[in-house]
Amino acid sequence: MPEAMARYLDLSREELAFTMERLGISTLLGLEGGPLALVPEAERVAAVQCGGRALVARSLAQQAVGNGTAAWNLSQLLIAAVGTCAVARNYASITQQSASLPPMAWYVHLLPHLAVLHTLADAGVHRFMLCRCTTDLVALLGAIVGGGDLTAPAGEPVELAGRDLDRAAGLVRKEPALAYDSLVQAGLTAVAAEQTLTLLRRATKNTMLTRARYEAPETHLVAVCGIACSPEGLWLIEPVPTEPGRVVLRPISSTDLEQFLLRLFQLEA
């Protein structure tokens, strides 16, 4: 992943807690309990102070004394990274199940000229990736969901009820014959049922993306989709707009997925 695409900032939980306190931020998406949720309450004040000292050592914060009172100056990078996550009304949450890694979550926060992708990169380490254009953000997201230049896999779009897809996914590894029968009973042809089972069985990453916009006092859902990555390629899973509860699975190339994400995350001029 080329470094020029985005600017990275890693913060410990203590550094993030200090920054949020100085900026007057009580919570962030995905951090409803705060960055110090796992730290005993009696130790949190000391943890915040430790975070401040660490930021000073990294030249991300500076303490100044004027008129007998202490004040803090935070770097523009620090303010942009954490502040954007607090004020952006347009956002997305991304969760991923992988065959080889523990579950992961990312949060995208969108402003007209800046997008910040936030995730827990390691135990207690928060990573903020700052992108000034949508193409850079989409390149990061493409690497998350699949990576590489993939052509659309062979196959036709398949439409079925979401509950039937979930049931087949739960059965496919231990009871594949029952999974197949359930799809046929749901109305799929033999070819479509086998195609769907192959995808469920061979998927190496399953990503769920929810795009939303907050307009006080309500949150408006913009889009929900799933992206499955298998050795054969990528599949996009979307709700059928005219039929609540039903979804369509369709093969998609990396290029077409990029265009889909560009439309979904387009930053206003």
Side-chain angles (χ1 to χ4, degrees):
M1 192 182 301
E3 291 187 3
M5 288 173 18
R7 187 154 186 192
Y8 291 75
L9 176 65
D10 285 353
L11 296 175
S12 69
R13 62 186 183 182
E14 293 83 6
E15 292 170 332
L16 179 56
F18 176 86
T19 303
M20 290 174 63
E21 183 176 288
R22 300 313 305 172
L23 294 178
I25 299 170
S26 59
T27 186
L28 294 178
L29 182 64
L31 277 181
E32 284 70 19
L36 300 180
L38 299 180
V39 176
E41 188 171 355
E43 300 175 13
R44 291 179 185 175
V45 172
V48 171
Q49 294 172 344
C50 180
R53 290 192 295 270
L55 290 172
V56 170
R58 297 174 61 189
S59 299
L60 292 172
Q62 184 178 20
Q63 188 174 24
V65 178
N67 298 324
T69 60
W72 285 92
N73 296 320
L74 305 182
S75 75
Q76 291 301 306
L77 175 61
L78 195 59
I79 294 172
V82 181
T84 296
C85 296
V87 303
R89 295 180 178 271
N90 286 282
Y91 64 90
S93 62
I94 302 168
T95 57
Q96 186 177 88
Q97 299 283 339
S98 171
S100 57
L101 295 171
M104 291 285 293
W106 295 262
Y107 303 95
V108 182
H109 305 269
L110 299 162
L111 291 179
H113 302 290
L114 181 66
V116 176
L117 182 63
H118 171 213
T119 189
L120 192 63
D122 203 349
V125 177
H126 295 264
R127 173 161 293 173
F128 298 84
M129 292 156 274
L130 291 77
C131 304
R132 290 199 172 274
C133 63
T134 313
T135 52
D136 289 348
L137 171 64
V138 167
L140 289 173
L141 297 179
I144 288 171
V145 302
D149 185 12
L150 304 174
T151 58
E156 296 296 326
V158 175
E159 183 182 321
L160 74 166
R163 65 177 181 273
D164 293 327
L165 180 61
D166 292 340
R167 183 166 188 263
L171 293 170
V172 66
R173 299 193 184 279
K174 293 184 178 180
E175 300 184 78
L178 188 56
Y180 175 85
D181 290 341
S182 73
L183 291 176
V184 172
Q185 291 169 9
L188 270 61
T189 65
V191 172
E194 188 56 47
Q195 174 183 294
T196 304
L197 287 181
T198 299
L199 170 62
L200 294 175
R201 186 168 50 244
R202 290 178 58 78
T204 56
K205 292 181 183 179
N206 288 292
T207 306
M208 179 63 68
L209 189 155
T210 302
R211 172 84 162 81
R213 179 178 62 256
Y214 178 71
E215 294 178 357
E218 298 179 343
T219 296
H220 300 271
L221 188 64
V222 176
V224 176
C225 69
I227 303 162
C229 179
S230 73
E232 290 72 33
L234 300 170
W235 290 77
L236 182 65
I237 307 166
E238 294 183 282
V240 178
T242 57
E243 298 186 57
R246 294 185 68 80
V247 297
V248 59
L249 293 74
R250 61 183 176 92
I252 189 169
S253 67
S254 296
T255 300
D256 288 342
L257 178 61
E258 178 181 307
Q259 294 303 311
F260 173 83
L261 293 173
L262 279 170
R263 293 191 296 272
L264 194 60
F265 287 98
Q266 184 63 53
L267 301 180
E268 299 173 5

